[in-house]
Amino acid sequence: MTNLSRRDALGSIALGVAATAAAPVEAVAQTGPAAMAPAFSGGHKPKPLGFDPTKLTGISEKLIRSHWENNYQGSVKALNMVEGRLGAAMADRDLPPVIYGDLKREELHRTGSVILHELYFEQLGGNGQAVGAIRDALARSHGSFEAWEAEFRRTAMALAGGSGWCILAYNHYTKSLHNYWAWDHTNGPITGVPLLVLDMYEHAFAIDYGAAAAKYVDAFMHNIDWAVVNARFGAAIAT
Ligand SMILES: [Fe+2]
Protein backbone atom coordinates (compact mmCIF):
# COMPACT_ATOMS: atom_id res chain seq x y z
CA MET A 1 0.00 0.00 0.00
CA THR A 2 2.98 2.27 0.53
CA ASN A 3 3.79 2.26 -3.17
CA LEU A 4 0.23 3.07 -4.08
CA SER A 5 0.22 5.99 -1.67
CA ARG A 6 3.38 7.31 -3.23
CA ARG A 7 1.89 7.04 -6.67
CA ASP A 8 -1.24 8.74 -5.48
CA ALA A 9 0.93 11.65 -4.42
CA LEU A 10 2.32 11.95 -7.91
CA GLY A 11 -1.10 13.04 -8.99
CA SER A 12 -0.38 12.18 -12.59
CA ILE A 13 -3.48 10.06 -13.13
CA ALA A 14 -6.69 11.52 -11.86
CA LEU A 15 -9.30 8.94 -12.80
CA GLY A 16 -10.15 6.25 -10.25
CA VAL A 17 -11.75 2.86 -10.56
CA ALA A 18 -15.26 4.00 -9.75
CA ALA A 19 -15.28 6.52 -12.54
CA THR A 20 -13.93 3.97 -14.99
CA ALA A 21 -16.22 1.11 -14.08
CA ALA A 22 -19.35 3.19 -14.27
CA ALA A 23 -18.35 5.52 -17.09
CA PRO A 24 -21.38 6.75 -19.05
CA VAL A 25 -21.48 6.83 -22.84
CA GLU A 26 -20.30 10.45 -22.91
CA ALA A 27 -17.25 9.57 -20.85
CA VAL A 28 -16.41 6.65 -23.11
CA ALA A 29 -16.57 8.96 -26.08
CA GLN A 30 -14.04 11.23 -24.41
CA THR A 31 -11.63 8.64 -23.09
CA GLY A 32 -12.00 5.97 -25.78
CA PRO A 33 -13.35 2.45 -25.64
CA ALA A 34 -10.24 1.12 -23.89
CA ALA A 35 -11.44 2.70 -20.65
CA MET A 36 -14.30 0.20 -20.58
CA ALA A 37 -12.30 -2.80 -21.76
CA PRO A 38 -12.40 -5.87 -19.49
CA ALA A 39 -8.66 -5.65 -18.83
CA PHE A 40 -9.24 -2.35 -17.06
CA SER A 41 -12.63 -3.01 -15.53
CA GLY A 42 -11.46 -3.03 -11.93
CA GLY A 43 -14.38 -5.24 -11.05
CA HIS A 44 -12.72 -7.81 -8.83
CA LYS A 45 -14.76 -8.75 -5.77
CA PRO A 46 -13.41 -10.49 -2.68
CA LYS A 47 -14.38 -14.14 -2.36
CA PRO A 48 -15.89 -15.05 1.01
CA LEU A 49 -14.23 -17.64 3.20
CA GLY A 50 -15.43 -21.13 2.33
CA PHE A 51 -14.90 -22.53 5.82
CA ASP A 52 -15.77 -21.66 9.40
CA PRO A 53 -12.77 -19.66 10.71
CA THR A 54 -13.62 -20.64 14.28
CA LYS A 55 -13.04 -24.33 13.46
CA LEU A 56 -9.44 -24.44 12.26
CA THR A 57 -6.83 -26.34 14.27
CA GLY A 58 -4.12 -24.10 15.68
CA ILE A 59 -5.02 -21.06 13.58
CA SER A 60 -7.24 -18.51 15.30
CA GLU A 61 -10.34 -16.81 13.95
CA LYS A 62 -8.68 -13.48 14.73
CA LEU A 63 -5.73 -14.32 12.50
CA ILE A 64 -7.85 -15.59 9.62
CA ARG A 65 -10.18 -12.59 9.71
CA SER A 66 -7.27 -10.14 9.90
CA HIS A 67 -5.53 -11.87 6.99
CA TRP A 68 -8.71 -11.95 4.88
CA GLU A 69 -9.89 -8.42 5.66
CA ASN A 70 -6.61 -6.52 5.69
CA ASN A 71 -4.20 -8.31 3.40
CA TYR A 72 -6.39 -10.14 0.87
CA GLN A 73 -9.20 -7.61 0.65
CA GLY A 74 -6.64 -4.83 0.58
CA SER A 75 -5.08 -6.38 -2.50
CA VAL A 76 -8.46 -6.74 -4.21
CA LYS A 77 -9.14 -3.03 -3.68
CA ALA A 78 -5.65 -2.07 -4.82
CA LEU A 79 -5.94 -4.21 -7.97
CA ASN A 80 -9.24 -2.57 -8.86
CA MET A 81 -7.70 0.86 -8.37
CA VAL A 82 -4.67 0.03 -10.49
CA GLU A 83 -6.79 -1.41 -13.31
CA GLY A 84 -8.94 1.72 -13.29
CA ARG A 85 -5.89 3.95 -13.51
CA LEU A 86 -4.42 1.86 -16.32
CA GLY A 87 -7.71 2.29 -18.18
CA ALA A 88 -7.54 6.03 -17.67
CA ALA A 89 -3.93 6.04 -18.80
CA MET A 90 -4.99 4.69 -22.22
CA ALA A 91 -6.16 8.21 -23.00
CA ASP A 92 -3.06 9.88 -21.55
CA ARG A 93 -0.36 9.52 -24.21
CA ASP A 94 1.92 11.92 -22.36
CA LEU A 95 2.19 9.77 -19.26
CA PRO A 96 5.92 9.07 -18.72
CA PRO A 97 6.91 5.41 -19.18
CA VAL A 98 8.40 5.34 -15.69
CA ILE A 99 5.01 6.20 -14.19
CA TYR A 100 3.23 3.70 -16.44
CA GLY A 101 5.79 1.11 -15.38
CA ASP A 102 4.91 1.70 -11.74
CA LEU A 103 1.29 0.91 -12.52
CA LYS A 104 2.17 -2.21 -14.54
CA ARG A 105 4.43 -3.49 -11.78
CA GLU A 106 1.68 -2.95 -9.22
CA GLU A 107 -0.83 -4.68 -11.52
CA LEU A 108 1.40 -7.77 -11.57
CA HIS A 109 2.04 -7.61 -7.83
CA ARG A 110 -1.61 -7.23 -6.85
CA THR A 111 -2.85 -9.83 -9.34
CA GLY A 112 -0.47 -12.35 -7.80
CA SER A 113 -1.54 -11.41 -4.30
CA VAL A 114 -5.25 -11.76 -5.06
CA ILE A 115 -4.90 -15.12 -6.81
CA LEU A 116 -2.52 -16.64 -4.27
CA HIS A 117 -4.65 -15.53 -1.33
CA GLU A 118 -7.81 -16.95 -2.93
CA LEU A 119 -6.03 -20.27 -3.48
CA TYR A 120 -4.72 -20.14 0.10
CA PHE A 121 -8.09 -19.64 1.78
CA GLU A 122 -9.87 -22.06 -0.56
CA GLN A 123 -7.62 -24.96 0.48
CA LEU A 124 -8.13 -24.51 4.25
CA GLY A 125 -10.80 -26.14 6.40
CA GLY A 126 -9.76 -29.76 5.91
CA ASN A 127 -8.26 -32.36 8.20
CA GLY A 128 -4.77 -32.38 6.71
CA GLN A 129 -5.01 -35.97 5.48
CA ALA A 130 -3.75 -36.28 1.92
CA VAL A 131 -6.03 -38.19 -0.41
CA GLY A 132 -6.49 -39.05 -4.04
CA ALA A 133 -4.24 -39.10 -7.06
CA ILE A 134 -2.17 -36.18 -5.82
CA ARG A 135 -0.92 -38.21 -2.85
CA ASP A 136 0.25 -41.03 -5.12
CA ALA A 137 1.75 -38.59 -7.61
CA LEU A 138 3.74 -36.83 -4.89
CA ALA A 139 4.99 -40.17 -3.60
CA ARG A 140 6.25 -40.99 -7.10
CA SER A 141 7.79 -37.60 -7.75
CA HIS A 142 9.62 -37.29 -4.43
CA GLY A 143 10.29 -40.90 -3.43
CA SER A 144 7.54 -40.98 -0.82
CA PHE A 145 4.74 -38.72 0.34
CA GLU A 146 6.66 -38.14 3.55
CA ALA A 147 9.71 -37.05 1.56
CA TRP A 148 7.57 -34.59 -0.40
CA GLU A 149 6.14 -33.17 2.84
CA ALA A 150 9.58 -32.78 4.37
CA GLU A 151 10.78 -30.92 1.27
CA PHE A 152 7.67 -28.70 1.25
CA ARG A 153 8.26 -27.76 4.89
CA ARG A 154 11.96 -27.17 4.22
CA THR A 155 11.14 -24.89 1.28
CA ALA A 156 8.66 -22.97 3.42
CA MET A 157 11.13 -22.51 6.24
CA ALA A 158 13.68 -21.17 3.76
CA LEU A 159 11.31 -18.18 3.52
CA ALA A 160 10.86 -17.77 7.28
CA GLY A 161 12.21 -14.49 8.57
CA GLY A 162 11.52 -12.91 5.20
CA SER A 163 8.42 -13.20 3.08
CA GLY A 164 6.98 -15.08 0.15
CA TRP A 165 5.10 -18.20 -0.83
CA CYS A 166 5.93 -21.89 -0.82
CA ILE A 167 4.11 -23.31 -3.85
CA LEU A 168 3.53 -26.93 -4.79
CA ALA A 169 2.93 -26.69 -8.52
CA TYR A 170 2.38 -28.90 -11.51
CA ASN A 171 4.77 -27.64 -14.15
CA HIS A 172 3.14 -27.93 -17.55
CA TYR A 173 6.42 -27.58 -19.43
CA THR A 174 8.34 -30.26 -17.53
CA LYS A 175 5.21 -32.34 -16.74
CA SER A 176 6.34 -32.67 -13.14
CA LEU A 177 5.50 -31.74 -9.56
CA HIS A 178 7.77 -29.42 -7.60
CA ASN A 179 7.85 -27.33 -4.44
CA TYR A 180 8.83 -23.84 -5.51
CA TRP A 181 10.30 -20.98 -3.49
CA ALA A 182 8.62 -17.69 -4.38
CA TRP A 183 9.94 -14.58 -2.71
CA ASP A 184 6.87 -12.41 -3.40
CA HIS A 185 3.50 -12.36 -5.17
CA THR A 186 5.15 -12.03 -8.60
CA ASN A 187 7.74 -14.76 -8.25
CA GLY A 188 5.82 -17.80 -9.43
CA PRO A 189 7.17 -20.81 -11.33
CA ILE A 190 7.06 -20.38 -15.11
CA THR A 191 4.30 -22.62 -16.58
CA GLY A 192 3.56 -23.86 -13.07
CA VAL A 193 -0.04 -24.40 -11.95
CA PRO A 194 -0.31 -23.81 -8.18
CA LEU A 195 -1.81 -26.79 -6.36
CA LEU A 196 -1.00 -25.94 -2.74
CA VAL A 197 0.19 -22.51 -1.61
CA LEU A 198 1.61 -21.58 1.77
CA ASP A 199 1.71 -17.90 2.69
CA MET A 200 5.01 -17.21 4.48
CA TYR A 201 4.52 -13.48 4.98
CA GLU A 202 4.55 -12.68 8.69
CA HIS A 203 1.01 -11.32 8.46
CA ALA A 204 -0.09 -14.93 7.87
CA PHE A 205 1.06 -16.14 11.30
CA ALA A 206 2.46 -13.43 13.61
CA ILE A 207 -0.84 -12.86 15.46
CA ASP A 208 -0.82 -16.49 16.63
CA TYR A 209 2.82 -17.46 16.59
CA GLY A 210 4.97 -14.34 16.65
CA ALA A 211 8.13 -15.22 14.76
CA ALA A 212 7.75 -18.98 15.32
CA ALA A 213 7.19 -19.84 11.66
CA ALA A 214 7.71 -23.59 12.09
CA LYS A 215 4.73 -23.81 14.45
CA TYR A 216 2.60 -21.99 11.87
CA VAL A 217 3.70 -24.42 9.16
CA ASP A 218 2.68 -27.31 11.45
CA ALA A 219 -0.75 -25.75 11.96
CA PHE A 220 -1.15 -25.06 8.24
CA MET A 221 -0.45 -28.69 7.36
CA HIS A 222 -3.16 -29.84 9.79
CA ASN A 223 -5.81 -27.71 8.09
CA ILE A 224 -5.24 -28.52 4.43
CA ASP A 225 -8.29 -29.66 2.51
CA TRP A 226 -6.59 -32.18 0.24
CA ALA A 227 -9.75 -32.75 -1.77
CA VAL A 228 -9.28 -29.19 -3.07
CA VAL A 229 -5.61 -29.82 -3.85
CA ASN A 230 -6.46 -33.09 -5.58
CA ALA A 231 -9.09 -31.37 -7.72
CA ARG A 232 -6.57 -28.72 -8.77
CA PHE A 233 -4.13 -31.48 -9.72
CA GLY A 234 -6.78 -33.26 -11.79
CA ALA A 235 -7.61 -30.06 -13.63
CA ALA A 236 -3.93 -29.25 -14.21
CA ILE A 237 -3.00 -32.57 -15.79
CA ALA A 238 -6.17 -32.61 -17.90
CA THR A 239 -5.25 -29.45 -19.78
FE1 LIG B 1 -1.11 -13.15 3.02
Side-chain angles (χ1 to χ4, degrees):
M1 297 302 289
T2 303
N3 289 340
L4 274 179
S5 299
R6 181 172 62 82
R7 285 161 200 143
D8 288 346
L10 292 173
S12 58
I13 306 171
L15 215 59
V17 60
T20 305
V25 174
E26 295 79 16
V28 173
Q30 290 177 352
T31 59
M36 293 292 284
F40 310 117
S41 65
H44 303 277
K45 293 182 171 54
K47 288 187 177 180
L49 293 172
F51 59 90
D52 183 345
T54 68
K55 299 287 177 59
L56 296 187
T57 303
I59 299 178
S60 70
E61 178 185 8
K62 180 180 179 182
L63 172 57
I64 289 293
R65 292 207 182 281
S66 173
H67 197 177
W68 189 90
E69 291 173 9
N70 296 309
N71 306 103
Y72 163 58
Q73 197 167 220
S75 276
V76 173
K77 291 176 180 175
L79 179 59
N80 286 337
M81 180 188 296
V82 169
E83 286 188 0
R85 293 191 176 205
L86 284 168
M90 294 293 284
D92 183 0
R93 301 295 178 189
D94 296 327
L95 189 69
V98 65
I99 302 301
Y100 198 71
D102 277 351
L103 285 171
K104 294 302 289 183
R105 185 168 57 249
E106 200 63 25
E107 177 191 36
L108 181 66
H109 179 72
R110 295 297 175 177
T111 297
S113 178
V114 168
I115 292 172
L116 285 164
H117 279 103
E118 290 183 358
L119 293 173
Y120 177 81
F121 291 120
E122 183 188 51
Q123 71 200 4
L124 292 179
N127 63 9
Q129 298 300 309
V131 294
I134 184 61
R135 193 184 201 290
D136 297 335
L138 288 171
R140 287 194 301 273
S141 63
H142 287 70
S144 69
F145 179 81
E146 290 72 23
W148 165 80
E149 181 175 335
E151 213 261 340
F152 184 81
R153 288 170 177 266
R154 192 175 188 179
T155 304
M157 288 306 295
L159 291 157
S163 60
W165 293 83
C166 176
I167 302 174
L168 164 64
Y170 176 73
N171 193 309
H172 265 300
Y173 190 81
T174 61
K175 310 289 186 198
S176 59
L177 291 162
H178 289 274
N179 297 318
Y180 289 101
W181 175 98
W183 73 322
D184 70 9
H185 305 309
T186 70
N187 192 214
I190 303 300
T191 74
V193 178
L195 306 181
L196 177 67
V197 300
L198 171 50
D199 191 338
M200 289 302 294
Y201 285 76
E202 281 197 346
H203 67 238
F205 59 88
I207 288 176
D208 285 353
Y209 293 105
K215 292 181 179 177
Y216 158 65
V217 173
D218 281 342
F220 171 82
M221 300 302 288
H222 284 121
N223 289 283
I224 297 171
D225 185 344
W226 278 94
V228 172
V229 181
N230 194 47
R232 291 173 184 168
F233 177 56
I237 61 177
T239 57

